[in-house]
Structures are given as C-alpha cells and as structure tokens.
Amino acid sequence: MKTIKLFLFLGMFGISNIHAQKISGKVTSNNEALPFVNVYLKGTSIGTTTNENGFYTIEDVVPGNYTIVASFTGFKNVEKQITVEGNVTIIKLELEGALSLDEIIITGTLKAVSRLESPVPVEVYSPAFLKKNPTPNVFEALQNVNGVRPQLNCNVCNTGDIHINGLEGPYTLVLIDGMPIVSGLSTVYGLSGIPNSLIEQIEVVKGPASSLYGSEAVGGLINVITKLPENAPLVFADSFISDWGELNLDIGFKSRIGDNTNLITGINYYNYSNPIDDNKDNFTDVTLQDRISVFQKWDFKRNNNRLFSLAGRFFYEDRWGGEMQWKPSFRGGDDIYGESIYTTRYELIGNYQLPINEKVNFQFSYSDHDQNSVYGNTEYLAKQRIGFGQLIWDKPIKNHDLLFGLAARYNFYNDNTTATTEADKIVIPSIFVQDEIKLSEKQHILLGARYDYDDRHGSIFTPRIAYRFKPSKDDIIRLNAGTGFRVVNLFTEDHAALTGSRDVIIEETLNPEQSYNVNINYLKKLYTKKGQIYTFDTSAWYTYFTNAIIPDYDSNPNQIIYDNLDGNSTSKGFSLNIDAVLGSGINASVGATFQEVSQNENGIKTRQILTERFTGVWSVSYKHYPTNLTVDYTGNVYGPMRLPTLGDLDPRSEYSPTWSIQNIQFTFTGLTNLELYAGVKNLLNWTPNKGNPFIIARANDPFDKNVDFDPNGNVIATADNPYALTFDPSYVYAPNQERRLFFGLRFTLN
C-alpha cells in the first residue's frame, strides 16, 4: 500500500480560555497543499474543508480537549488529540493511501504481485465495493462490475450464471482462494452463500486463462479471496431486511487455538418466503429461498513462515418458484406447476508449503454437490464430485521468475437423464510452465504453456504470451495473447436443458471448444493540482472460437439443438473504467463496454442470443464527515439483446429495450463498532414485463395440456393458443423484482 505523508498544521488562537476559539491550519501531501480535505472535531458537528490552497479554519470552538480528524477519500483518516486553549500547535501525521495501483493480486500469474507489476490485467474489488450495494450473494454483487453481467436463465427458479465480455456463463471459471472449486453444477448455485463479510477482495481476469487454470477459463475468471484469520475482525455481523420480506444475515468470529493456529468462522443465512405476483401471471416474480452456508478457515503458523491453511464450506439451499398455489405436496406432479431445487454441497480447500529449501506448494480442493430438483413433473437428480490438486514450484533466478506446475483433476458426474447412460468419470493430468522475463526495468515479457490430457479428446496444448511496458510508476501497457479450451457437459451448465420445457437434441459428438485471444490494456493513474486522483483502465480484445457449442433456440421453438458450430464464433470489443477521487468526500467510478459477440455458419452471421451490445456501470459516493453520513448511488445500464422467442407468432419483443437498475444507500458510521444503512433498490422500478404482453409463455397451461401439435411436432395455432406457443420460462434478461426498501446493521469488533 502506497504510503503518503500528510502534514497537518494547526494554529489555535483565542481571546481567553472562557471564550470560543478558532482553529486554523494547512493540510499538505508530499509537501504540496491538499485541497478539499475534510477537517472536523470528532463527536461534534463542527468542521470544515480545506480550500484550493490547502488552508482551513474552524470557528467558534469552545476551549477543551478534542480529537481533530483530517479525512480525504483515498487516504486513511488521521486523528490527533488536541487541547484548544489559544496556543499554536504543529502536528505531523502520516496517512496511508487507499486508492492505489499497488493492490496485491494473485490471479493473473498464480503469484502474489502488485497490480501495477502484473503482466496480466486484473481488476480488483474490495469489501468497500460490496458495501456500496449490499447483496445476499456474490452473484448479485457483480452487477456493478464493468463487462461482467449476472444473467438469470429462468423466470421461475431464478438460477443464473456470470457473463464476461458477452460470453455465456460456462466460459467463466469461478475460484475460491485460487482453487477452481466452483464449476459445473455449482456455477449455477455456488456463488450464493459465500459470506460477504469474509471476502478480502474479488479479482477479475477477462480473457482466456487456460494456460494456468485449464478448462472453463475461456472467457475469464473470477477469484473470490477470503480473509486471512489474523486480518479478520474479532467478531462481525451484517444483516439487512427488505420490505419484500428478504432477510440476509452474515455473522462470524475469529479465534486462536494454541500458539500457532488461527481460525475464522462465518455463517450466512438467507430467507425469502413471501410469494409475490405483481405482474399478474400467477407465477412467483422471485424464487423463494431458504439457504444456509457455513465457512471456516484455519491458518497454521509454521517454521520459516511456511504456509499451511485449510478452509471448508457447507452449503444447503431449498428454493422454489412457480404457480402461486404451489406447495411441497405438488412437487413432481402435473396439477400445479413448480420448480423445486434442494441443493447440498461440501467444499474443502488447502494450501501447504513443503518443508524443503525450495518454494514448493501443494494446493488442493474437493467439492461434493448433490442436487435434487423437479421442474414441473420433470425430475432431475444429479451428483458431481470434483477433486483437484497441484504442485507449484516458484523459482526466481536472475532476470527470470519461473513457475512450474503439475496438476490433476478428477471429475465425477451422474444424473438421471437419458443423455447420461452411465456416470462420467475422468482424470485429467496437466503440466504447465511460466517464465516472466525481465528485459529491463520498464519491460517484462511472460511466456506460458500448459499441456492437458483428456482420454475423451486426447492432448490439449494451450500457450500464452504477455508483454508489459511500464513507462512510469503510474502507467502500464499490457499486451496479452493466448488460447483456451473447454470440455462441455451440457446438463451442468444450461438450465433450459433441464426444465423439460424444450426437448434437448444433441446432433453429434461434441468436441472441445478452442479459442484464440488477443487483448491490449492501458492503465494510467493521474494526480491533479487540486488533489484529485484519477485511474484510467481501458482494454480492447478479440477472441476467435472454433468448435463452438452454442445452443440453437431458433430452428425449432420446442427444441434446444446442440452441435459443434460449422464455422466460427467471435467476441470483440473495448471497455473503459475510470475511478476518481474528486475531493470534499466525493469519489466516483464509471465504466462502459462495447462489444459484438456473433457466430458465422454457412456464410450467415448471427448475433449471439442474450448478449448486449453495450453496458455501463457507475458508482458515486459522498461522505459528509462531520455527520458521519455516506451516500452511495450505484447503477448499470444494458443495451438491447436478442431474446429466445417461440416462433413468428410470438407477440413478445425479439429484442430487449435498453434498461437500467439503479440503487441508492445511506450509511451512518457515527456509533462505535456499528454501521446503520438503508436505501432503495431498483429506483426506476424496472422489470422486463414492461412493454410485453407477458414474460412466461403459456403461464396458464404450464404442462401444455391444451396445446395441439401437428404430425411433425409443430404447435398448431388454436382459439385457446392463438400464438402457437408452448410453456417456456426462458424469456428472461432482467430481474422481475420491483422497487424495494432495505434496512441493515453492521457490527464489527476488532
């Protein structure tokens, strides 16, 4: 963390000890005047801000003892005990910068390096980011990350996945503490239940990372890094409720066992049990959920500061959505439609540094996922077990920073569908190597390659190259190129393939997808004479896919057809992020992404379904230090995307409109160890049913009992079904939840 010295000069003048006094002084940073700094007396409403030349004056101060606070967004607060009695006092204080390019990251290269030094562009999101718009899970929290979109895949059960730069969720690998523990089935459910209070930071890499992380890291990856026990609060709790009846509770504590063991325990509980049908289609607007997650992390102190940590998580969720009359007794029947999902999940993560002179770590993870679900009268029972282990040897030598790795991944998957005739069991061994070469102080180049062997598909080779040029301490240019691959299991990643609302057609043996990617990134930090700080982060990318597997919703409205694309698929675009500290307690962040994701088959170019052309996100925060009140205004905007309609007669719009979700929050921090917050989500009251006659097709006949078909299986238009539709809940692009109030409380004891 960059350290910035701040000198606060206080002049205290007075007429006598019984009259009000005046405090004045100057605030500087690096011996330069720092304007718009908040200076106030703690526990009072007396305060001011420095002018353009860094000077301030506080009038009418009664003589006595005070704590004076100098606070400027981007720096840690500085406090000093003072006595106001007319004497001039000069105080030297030191602040630590909070908005910096020096955040420590590990995702891009599997090494802990500063963000500025990494040859791979990595975006970092702190707990402060999560607090600006409190959510019950990480999935929803990512809605304000530029180029990242949480996509709901079903109007009924509200399962979803994460899109990065327009690519579908199966292209995104999600990790916890660097381990690929969230994948397959758990991509749908695994981002729920990670206690936000235990998150140290979230790192996002956009673009292929298969050379380090293997299959699934094709579109990008998200690494959720949890706190070290020694850095966690002694006790913490965070809970909020909404006027829709949602309740979210995070609680936890850290403890010490003996002299060498620290641990943290976190529990997340979420409950929503209030069926609401504001759009009057007789279906729940939001899925009802009852979820608990227990997380524990152990850190063992060893000789020579060698690492050894273990973490585990238990997750259970009962969720359902459907017709308002649905009860558990209707589960699996064809009288009242409901989608009911019971999920039980166990996870284990470990990192052990071998007791040898070389720096060699053994990292491992294991997950066990059991899903019992019904979609109407279609039963889907699935089990998935994933074991992962790797040895990493970190070997720096002159001008080279080498990394060698041996890995193996065990996948077990079984379900009750006709497509799975026997359990899928496979072990995929891998070897990878990486070398970051120091060409000069300003130029580094990174070379990497990975070899995987899959019995089903043979050898898979994924190289990459990254070039980093650092013309100054606050500028960096990165050029990255590489390949990615993905082995597909349809039933672990496409909710529409499970619901039974469409028939699944697999036309051929599906080969692994292969991608080729290039992107360029420029990062710039700028300081103005007025004390403002700006960080600019811009990227452009191009990704080319062969053997792409894209579900075909268009050829037959009653089917999803899967095959390897006879052609190619591309994703290209550019993005810009700007973070700014504007002074007077104001900081802001804004981002925009423009992209085109399409496929070309038989000379016909088609825009990918459920992919927006542009997206924007923003966050504006203002803190009024004398009253300890912070206002956060966050939001996003999405451009039109093509939607899965059910044929030419479907009256629903083929494209979504431009839409936006916006939120506001007020936080009070004037109480010891406590924060109170309240706000409004979805200020514009936007829901996708606006402008559409309905969202769920044939909601009045979810089992298609009154649908007529011709001999070829096509729907016949009738008086009862004039649009020739079947029941289908997959027409979804935005949450159905309307405007709502929320109230919350945070307690922290350090």
Side-chain angles (χ1 to χ4, degrees):
M1 187 71 71
K2 184 177 179 181
T3 300
I4 301 177
K5 291 186 177 180
L6 176 74
F7 297 92
L8 176 63
F9 296 90
L10 303 175
M12 293 174 288
F13 304 92
I15 298 174
S16 71
N17 288 339
I18 60 173
H19 294 92
Q21 307 294 305
K22 180 170 68 174
I23 305 173
S24 62
K26 184 178 182 181
V27 178
T28 62
S29 174
N30 291 333
N31 296 319
E32 294 185 2
L34 192 61
F36 312 121
V37 176
N38 290 278
V39 182
Y40 61 96
L41 301 181
K42 189 173 183 179
T44 75
S45 59
I46 302 172
T48 186
T49 59
T50 59
N51 63 18
E52 292 185 357
N53 298 313
F55 289 100
Y56 71 91
T57 300
I58 302 177
E59 305 277 0
D60 300 326
V61 181
V62 176
N65 297 320
Y66 296 93
T67 299
I68 190 165
V69 181
S71 182
F72 186 56
T73 303
F75 302 88
K76 288 186 178 179
N77 290 1
V78 60
E79 299 183 0
K80 184 68 178 182
Q81 302 295 323
I82 64 170
T83 300
V84 176
E85 55 185 10
N87 297 322
V88 178
T89 304
I90 299 175
I91 303 171
K92 180 180 178 181
L93 300 169
E94 193 172 89
L95 289 175
E96 240 184 26
L99 183 64
S100 170
L101 297 180
D102 292 336
E103 298 116 328
I104 299 300
I105 59 174
I106 64 170
T107 305
T109 61
L110 281 177
K111 293 171 177 280
V113 298
S114 78
R115 183 183 175 195
L116 194 60
E117 296 300 322
S118 172
V120 178
V122 180
E123 297 177 14
V124 180
Y125 298 91
S126 68
F129 167 82
L130 300 175
K131 289 182 178 181
K132 292 178 185 292
N133 179 33
T135 61
N137 52 57
V138 177
F139 178 83
E140 291 183 35
L142 295 173
Q143 65 185 279
N144 288 323
V145 175
N146 188 23
V148 177
R149 184 169 69 86
Q151 165 66 38
L152 291 177
N153 293 328
C154 175
N155 274 301
V156 180
C157 68
N158 289 171
T159 56
D161 53 33
I162 300 296
H163 291 200
I164 294 182
N165 287 346
L167 296 178
E168 296 283 345
Y171 295 91
T172 301
L173 179 63
V174 183
L175 308 100
I176 299 178
D177 289 337
M179 290 290 97
I181 198 163
V182 180
S183 57
L185 275 173
S186 56
T187 302
V188 179
Y189 308 102
L191 281 175
S192 298
I194 301 173
N196 286 355
S197 300
L198 289 181
I199 294 175
E200 181 70 26
Q201 63 190 41
I202 298 174
E203 299 178 4
V204 179
V205 175
K206 299 171 183 176
S210 292
S211 64
L212 279 183
Y213 294 97
S215 179
E216 297 168 338
V218 177
L221 57 88
I222 297 169
N223 190 3
V224 180
I225 298 175
T226 59
K227 293 181 182 294
L228 291 173
E230 56 264 36
N231 296 338
L234 183 63
V235 180
F236 58 87
D238 187 350
S239 181
F240 67 84
I241 59 173
S242 79
D243 63 348
W244 272 52
E246 299 163 292
L247 168 66
N248 186 75
L249 173 64
D250 278 350
I251 58 174
F253 59 90
K254 73 175 180 181
S255 53
R256 188 177 183 89
I257 300 176
D259 296 330
N260 300 315
T261 304
N262 295 306
L263 69 91
I264 51 173
T265 301
I267 301 171
N268 169 256
Y269 177 70
Y270 177 76
N271 181 274
Y272 173 63
S273 304
N274 182 33
I276 293 177
D277 178 26
D278 282 345
N279 62 12
K280 307 303 180 186
D281 61 2
N282 196 42
F283 271 72
T284 53
D285 291 342
V286 179
T287 302
L288 283 76
Q289 300 175 53
D290 194 15
R291 178 179 71 234
I292 188 167
S293 175
V294 181
F295 178 90
Q296 195 168 74
K297 186 173 184 177
W298 296 65
D299 187 37
F300 303 91
K301 301 300 179 184
R302 300 171 59 212
N303 293 334
N304 302 314
N305 293 318
R306 292 190 177 99
L307 296 174
F308 182 29
S309 66
L310 284 173
R313 185 169 75 121
F314 167 77
F315 173 93
Y316 177 78
E317 181 183 71
D318 175 0
R319 69 162 63 199
W320 75 268
E323 293 185 271
M324 295 291 288
Q325 305 92 331
W326 190 89
K327 296 178 181 179
S329 59
F330 293 111
R331 193 175 196 265
D334 61 359
D335 294 322
I336 302 296
Y337 187 90
E339 298 186 0
S340 172
I341 304 170
Y342 304 146
T343 302
T344 304
R345 181 173 175 82
Y346 302 89
E347 299 170 350
L348 178 67
I349 306 169
N351 189 356
Y352 178 78
Q353 185 175 347
L354 300 186
I356 58 178
N357 291 332
E358 297 290 340
K359 187 177 180 181
V360 180
N361 281 46
F362 176 61
Q363 301 173 331
F364 58 92
S365 65
Y366 175 78
S367 64
D368 187 296
H369 187 105
D370 190 320
Q371 184 170 321
N372 180 326
S373 51
V374 294
Y375 303 90
N377 57 358
T378 301
E379 190 176 50
Y380 174 70
L381 307 175
K383 294 182 181 293
Q384 184 178 53
R385 301 184 185 98
I386 299 177
F388 179 83
Q390 65 182 13
L391 278 170
I392 297 178
W393 179 23
D394 187 354
K395 182 63 176 178
I397 57 178
K398 184 178 180 181
N399 295 329
H400 292 265
D401 196 353
L402 291 160
L403 187 77
F404 302 94
L406 287 172
R409 177 168 174 162
Y410 168 75
N411 284 1
F412 170 90
Y413 174 79
N414 196 16
D415 66 33
N416 65 320
T417 66
T418 56
T420 306
T421 57
E422 61 180 354
D424 180 23
K425 303 176 184 178
I426 185 107
V427 176
I428 303 176
S430 311
I431 184 171
F432 58 90
V433 62
Q434 177 180 276
D435 184 13
E436 185 176 352
I437 306 168
K438 182 179 180 181
L439 303 177
S440 67
E441 288 298 327
K442 295 183 177 181
Q443 297 186 76
H444 287 209
I445 190 169
L446 181 143
L447 304 174
R450 182 185 183 99
Y451 172 80
D452 294 80
Y453 183 78
D454 187 323
D455 280 341
R456 299 163 297 184
H457 308 294
S459 299
I460 303 172
F461 179 65
T462 49
R464 77 164 170 175
I465 183 171
Y467 170 74
R468 190 204 73 188
F469 175 54
K470 186 179 175 184
S472 75
K473 65 182 182 65
D474 292 324
D475 294 83
I476 187 166
I477 299 169
R478 301 179 178 96
L479 178 64
N480 280 245
T483 63
F485 76 97
R486 186 172 73 96
V487 178
V488 177
N489 189 325
L490 298 179
F491 296 97
T492 65
E493 46 193 47
D494 195 329
H495 169 268
L498 306 177
T499 64
S501 60
R502 295 185 184 220
D503 293 329
V504 176
I505 307 298
I506 303 174
E507 294 199 334
E508 62 181 354
T509 300
L510 300 177
N511 296 318
E513 293 185 342
Q514 193 84 19
S515 71
Y516 306 87
N517 170 271
V518 61
N519 70 73
I520 187 169
N521 170 262
Y522 174 57
L523 190 68
K524 168 70 177 178
K525 192 166 185 179
L526 178 68
Y527 300 86
T528 70
K529 292 183 179 180
K530 292 185 177 182
Q532 298 169 337
I533 307 171
Y534 296 89
T535 302
F536 300 87
D537 188 347
T538 183
S539 296
W541 75 90
Y542 178 84
T543 305
Y544 180 93
F545 292 89
T546 62
N547 287 337
I549 302 170
I550 301 172
D552 178 3
Y553 290 83
D554 301 321
S555 297
N556 187 321
N558 299 309
Q559 297 177 342
I560 308 174
I561 301 172
Y562 292 94
D563 62 0
N564 283 115
L565 189 67
D566 185 15
N568 61 76
S569 175
T570 60
S571 169
K572 55 188 175 183
F574 67 92
S575 66
L576 173 65
N577 285 308
I578 303 174
D579 296 316
V581 176
L582 302 175
S584 298
I586 301 174
N587 66 80
S589 176
V590 62
T593 296
F594 299 86
Q595 62 195 12
E596 179 184 285
V597 183
S598 60
Q599 59 194 66
N600 195 318
E601 188 170 23
N602 300 321
I604 300 174
K605 184 177 179 180
T606 307
R607 180 176 167 185
Q608 181 172 293
I609 204 166
L610 291 172
T611 303
E612 68 279 6
R613 284 284 179 86
F614 69 87
T615 180
V617 296
W618 65 86
S619 169
V620 180
S621 299
Y622 168 67
K623 182 165 186 178
H624 188 249
Y625 289 94
T627 59
N628 297 296
L629 189 65
T630 301
V631 182
D632 293 298
Y633 171 51
T634 59
N636 51 53
V637 60
Y638 297 106
M641 60 187 76
R642 193 166 69 90
L643 302 174
T645 56
L646 297 180
D648 295 336
L649 296 179
D650 194 330
R652 297 173 297 180
S653 175
E654 183 182 0
Y655 286 87
S656 68
T658 297
W659 56 283
S660 176
I661 301 293
Q662 301 178 25
N663 318 287
I664 192 166
Q665 175 185 249
F666 301 87
T667 304
F668 177 70
T669 57
L671 301 173
T672 303
N673 300 327
L674 289 177
E675 291 183 13
L676 304 175
Y677 59 93
V680 182
K681 289 181 179 289
N682 195 5
L683 281 166
L684 302 182
N685 204 29
W686 168 258
T687 57
N689 63 294
K690 298 183 186 300
N692 270 310
F694 51 82
I695 294 296
I696 299 176
R698 295 287 293 174
N700 63 321
D701 184 21
F703 296 99
D704 292 334
K705 293 181 179 180
N706 298 315
V707 177
D708 294 335
F709 299 88
D710 66 17
N712 295 321
N714 299 311
V715 181
I716 301 172
T718 63
D720 180 64
N721 188 13
Y723 304 122
L725 303 178
T726 56
F727 174 72
D728 184 23
S730 63
Y731 184 95
V732 58
Y733 59 91
N736 281 320
Q737 203 166 15
E738 296 182 340
R739 183 187 298 121
R740 59 206 183 275
L741 301 173
F742 65 92
F743 307 88
L745 169 69
R746 296 187 185 98
F747 172 78
T748 304
L749 181 62
N750 291 308

